[in-house]
Amino acid sequence: MQSIGKNVLRAILLGACAMFGVSACSQDTAFDERTLLAANKLAAAKKAPTAKAPYGQDPSEYVLTFAEEFDRFNPDLWNDHIWYEKPNPTRNFTVENGVLKIWPQRDASGKFFNRTIDTDGKFEQRYGYFEMEAKLPRGKGTWPAFWLFAHPENRRPEIDIMEAYPGGVDPWGFVDADGVARPRAYGSTVWYDEGAQAGTRQYDTGKDLSARFHKYAVKWEPHQQSFYFDGKLVHTVKAQMNDAMYLMLDLWFGSSSGDPDETTPQGKSNSFEVNYVRAWRFKGAGN
């Protein structure tokens, strides 16, 4: 700052005053400590990030622990495959304009393949509030999901926040005028272990979930898991879940969505688009 001439500094300050509408500024600005302090405060206010509060929740009850806004794909935070598989070399995901995109694609063998993006070994948490804002893909066979998972020894505890099956029978999805399956409902499920389900619900949103972004979330307490759609409570499971879990985003194929076929749109224009993923812990509690 000391190397900047007074005329340049004056221009910066006057520009800041004009931007923020500070009436006390004038062409006779005095560059004393008070003026410089005011300028620093203006600059800090401009750069201050928007508060990231859990949607529909009391923000005073939470502390933000994880905020992925997808400015880029960060390999220090995300893996591009699940731990028991090797990553498919065919590229079907990217980060673009602040959004993670994963799309249906055939690989070199001609088959649709699963893609998993997760924080296994890089971020995990026990309890709290977990939220994603996303737009879902279209097409028979597509199976997008947002979930919490762990694989300690031989156990597989799991909290499925959102699993959608566009190709499934109504109300999972519907077929549009072009013959393409679109998602309308999604499932939320809690698993004590593989094959040991604690509770599940198929929630019919009544909306085309591929048409716009929606918020999917879970409030995970030691003895209860509450699921939310756009801030509305839609399902509660009373189960004791005590393992720390990591975050998972994926686009798989099959299950209730059926097998993908020639009607399943391929390419980036039909992506599972994730605007953000965030996590909070309860205030006064550790991870």
Side-chain angles (χ1 to χ4, degrees):
M1 176 68 75
Q2 292 179 357
S3 64
I4 299 176
K6 282 191 174 182
N7 288 335
V8 176
L9 181 56
R10 187 188 304 277
I12 294 173
L13 287 170
L14 290 175
C17 290
M19 179 180 296
F20 291 96
V22 180
S23 60
C25 296
S26 71
Q27 293 294 331
D28 296 322
T29 303
F31 296 99
D32 56 16
E33 289 188 9
R34 187 172 61 179
T35 304
L36 293 174
L37 180 60
N40 287 336
K41 287 184 177 179
L42 287 171
K46 180 182 177 183
K47 295 179 181 178
T50 304
K52 297 178 178 66
Y55 188 74
Q57 301 290 309
D58 182 353
S60 68
E61 297 179 355
Y62 299 92
V63 175
L64 185 69
T65 55
F66 183 96
E68 174 59 276
E69 309 303 317
F70 293 111
D71 297 319
R72 64 186 181 93
F73 183 79
N74 185 357
D76 293 329
L77 191 59
W78 298 98
N79 306 302
D80 65 358
H81 62 288
I82 199 165
W83 95 95
Y84 56 79
E85 294 180 343
K86 293 182 179 179
N88 193 301
T90 301
R91 185 83 174 184
N92 71 325
F93 72 96
T94 191
V95 170
E96 185 176 87
N97 300 321
V99 175
L100 170 68
K101 298 182 178 183
I102 313 172
W103 57 85
Q105 190 70 50
R106 296 182 188 272
D107 62 14
S109 71
K111 296 180 180 179
F112 287 91
F113 63 95
N114 296 339
R115 176 66 69 184
T116 301
I117 307 292
D118 68 38
T119 64
D120 188 9
K122 299 177 179 181
F123 173 83
E124 64 177 21
Q125 184 170 306
R126 179 185 296 107
Y127 316 136
Y129 197 84
F130 303 80
E131 180 180 289
M132 170 190 72
E133 184 177 71
K135 184 166 64 173
L136 307 187
R138 298 166 288 126
K140 185 175 183 293
T142 58
W143 177 13
F146 169 44
W147 43 312
L148 307 177
F149 189 58
H151 47 91
E153 299 178 347
N154 294 323
R155 293 188 301 110
R156 302 291 182 265
E158 178 178 331
I159 299 175
D160 299 326
I161 302 169
M162 184 285 298
E163 288 185 291
Y165 308 95
V169 297
D170 183 70
W172 282 124
F174 65 97
V175 178
D176 65 17
D178 296 321
V180 178
R182 292 176 176 264
R184 195 181 87 193
Y186 71 93
S188 297
T189 309
V190 177
W191 300 86
Y192 291 118
D193 197 351
E194 185 174 4
Q197 189 182 103
T200 187
R201 182 187 178 185
Q202 178 192 51
Y203 177 63
D204 182 2
T205 69
K207 304 174 186 292
D208 177 0
L209 299 176
S210 68
R212 61 182 296 268
F213 285 88
H214 293 280
K215 295 176 175 64
Y216 305 86
V218 66
K219 181 180 181 181
W220 173 16
E221 300 170 275
H223 302 286
Q224 178 173 288
Q225 298 77 47
S226 304
F227 297 86
Y228 296 83
F229 176 71
D230 286 340
K232 174 187 175 182
L233 179 64
V234 296
H235 180 46
T236 298
V237 176
K238 294 188 179 297
Q240 183 172 330
M241 303 292 289
N242 304 126
D243 292 282
M245 299 191 199
Y246 59 88
L247 304 167
M248 297 193 69
L249 301 166
D250 66 58
L251 178 57
W252 292 0
F253 295 89
S255 189
S256 296
S257 195
D259 295 324
D261 57 23
E262 66 279 356
T263 69
T264 306
Q266 298 182 65
K268 192 164 57 175
S269 62
N270 182 35
S271 290
F272 176 20
E273 299 188 31
V274 183
N275 191 30
Y276 66 75
V277 177
R278 298 170 187 161
W280 296 260
R281 66 172 171 81
F282 298 117
K283 188 166 288 186
N287 285 357

